[in-house]
Amino acid sequence: REWRHLAVSKIAPALIAGNAVLVKPPTQGAVSGLHLAQCFNKSGLFPPGLVNVLTVKSSENGDYLTEHSGNNCLSFTGGDTGLSLAKKVGMIPIQMELGGKDACIVCPDADLDLAAKHIIKGGFSYSGQRCTAVKIVLVHDDVADALVEKVLSGVGKLTVGMPDDNCNITPVISESSANFIEKLVLDAKEKGAKFLTEYKREGNLIWPCLLDHVRPDMDLAWEEPFGPVLPVMRVSSIDEAVAHANKNRLALQGCVFTNDIQKAIQLSDSIQAGTVQINGAPARGPDHFPFQGFRDSGIGSQGISNSIATMTKTKTTVINLTSPSYTV
């Protein structure tokens, strides 16, 4: 569902701008991509060849598709592969959304019940497999114990199982993804993080894992797990929290919890990320919202109007008349 939404948010502006579209779904999401193609075909609204879906491996065909002379724009959602594609695509417009390490900063004056609610929602919906998921909580020492207690209570209520059972936490997309998550968790364990929930895994199914006292020397403090694992880092000042967030190479979104609107605006200005939510979890938002990342999180801005502009070439024709057509 999440991937199909992202695809349509790219396809619609491209069609509005008068383009034909080639969609290359992720390998693990190929079935969803084909279903999307079937929906376009059955609608009867689009002539053959206008919307095309190609299920190939990016590792084998990605460069060919990217560098093809018929490609006039590239809009890509993914990970570090995008950094490579951006160097190969040539002189055409590009949109890149390449993931995030979205930090949630909790100030001493925050509504902790509200913060905990959004941290759980932001960190564990879709089993944490969202670019805009809360990936790290940076909480002031003064309220850390109280916040962690509230978050832990909420995590304990999450159900774990299969998607057909409508569980909150379901298997991550692949074994390689699960292995990467486990590597981050075990590194944090070896370096002394406090596990507030037991780390448990069966195949690709990973139980929600909440870790406290995470430190900057742990990989989990920097890497995007893309799974149901949430690290909590305690800070002595909010400036320390902002500095940590800004040091990460990923800068898609972030969020701030405070009851001081002036402080909220100042922190938003200080956080170098594409979007900062105030008193709410990170989210892509409605399709008309601009959606972008800084640093290695991407280039260009999405959203209907921004995407239409990216997918449109501006051309000017000037007609020079033999005599003036205006009154001097």
Side-chain angles (χ1 to χ4, degrees):
R1 181 175 59 181
E2 181 81 355
W3 176 81
R4 289 201 302 272
H5 165 70
L6 291 175
V8 172
S9 71
K10 300 172 185 289
I11 294 170
L15 294 176
I16 292 170
N19 299 284
V21 179
L22 175 62
V23 181
K24 210 301 284 183
T27 303
Q28 298 94 339
V31 173
S32 293
L34 293 174
H35 178 67
L36 184 67
Q38 187 180 49
C39 291
F40 276 102
N41 184 53
K42 286 187 174 183
S43 73
L45 299 174
F46 305 95
L50 187 62
V51 179
N52 309 275
V53 175
L54 186 63
T55 56
V56 297
K57 288 186 176 180
S58 295
S59 58
E60 298 174 0
N61 304 97
D63 288 354
Y64 174 78
L65 295 175
T66 299
E67 299 172 8
H68 195 280
S69 60
N71 181 18
N72 292 312
C73 179
L74 176 65
S75 184
F76 177 82
T77 297
D80 287 347
T81 299
L83 299 176
S84 174
L85 294 179
K87 297 176 182 178
K88 298 175 181 178
V89 71
M91 295 292 287
I92 64 172
I94 57 175
Q95 292 177 322
M96 295 277 177
E97 191 273 277
L98 308 179
K101 183 67 175 178
D102 303 0
C104 174
I105 297 177
V106 183
C107 300
D109 67 332
D111 180 333
L112 297 185
D113 289 323
L114 178 68
K117 175 183 175 182
H118 281 269
I119 288 169
I120 295 164
K121 171 189 173 185
F124 295 102
S125 61
Y126 293 97
S127 301
Q129 298 176 106
R130 296 186 303 121
C131 294
T132 55
V134 172
K135 306 288 174 49
I136 187 168
V137 177
L138 302 167
V139 56
H140 195 281
D141 284 329
D142 291 351
V143 292
D145 287 342
L147 177 71
V148 166
E149 182 180 353
K150 293 177 184 295
V151 173
L152 179 59
S153 175
V155 170
K157 298 174 184 177
L158 298 174
T159 57
V160 181
M162 295 296 111
D164 290 345
D165 297 324
N166 200 30
C167 293
N168 301 122
I169 306 297
T170 57
V172 297
I173 191 66
S174 67
E175 182 179 2
S176 61
S177 178
N179 290 341
F180 177 72
I181 294 167
E182 183 167 285
K183 179 182 177 182
L184 295 177
V185 170
L186 294 182
D187 173 78
K189 183 177 182 179
E190 180 181 338
K191 293 175 180 176
K194 182 179 179 181
F195 281 65
L196 302 177
T197 58
E198 176 188 5
Y199 174 69
K200 183 178 179 182
R201 172 186 173 186
E202 292 181 3
N204 293 1
L205 181 61
I206 296 176
W207 270 248
C209 187
L210 182 65
L211 297 84
D212 195 4
H213 296 283
V214 170
R215 301 190 312 271
D217 63 316
M218 302 176 184
D219 292 342
L220 193 56
W222 305 103
E223 297 291 336
E224 178 184 23
F226 219 69
V229 174
L230 186 60
V232 177
M233 181 182 295
R234 299 176 180 228
V235 294
S236 58
S237 71
I238 297 304
D239 286 344
E240 180 185 348
V242 172
H244 181 87
N246 287 345
K247 192 175 180 180
N248 200 293
R249 69 182 184 88
L250 297 175
L252 184 61
Q253 294 204 1
C255 61
V256 172
F257 286 87
T258 176
N259 283 321
D260 184 336
I261 188 62
Q262 295 297 327
K263 182 189 297 181
I265 297 301
Q266 290 171 357
L267 288 174
S268 177
D269 288 344
S270 300
I271 297 170
Q272 300 165 10
T275 302
V276 177
Q277 297 271 352
I278 305 301
N279 292 329
R284 191 184 188 282
D287 283 329
H288 64 278
F289 272 31
F291 181 57
Q292 60 281 314
F294 295 172
R295 299 193 292 279
D296 285 356
S297 279
I299 188 171
S301 180
Q302 298 182 54
I304 295 173
S305 60
N306 290 342
S307 293
I308 291 174
T310 299
M311 298 171 181
T312 302
K313 283 189 175 181
T314 300
K315 179 179 179 179
T316 303
T317 299
V318 179
I319 300 175
N320 294 280
L321 304 177
T322 56
S323 61
S325 60
Y326 54 88
T327 301
V328 178

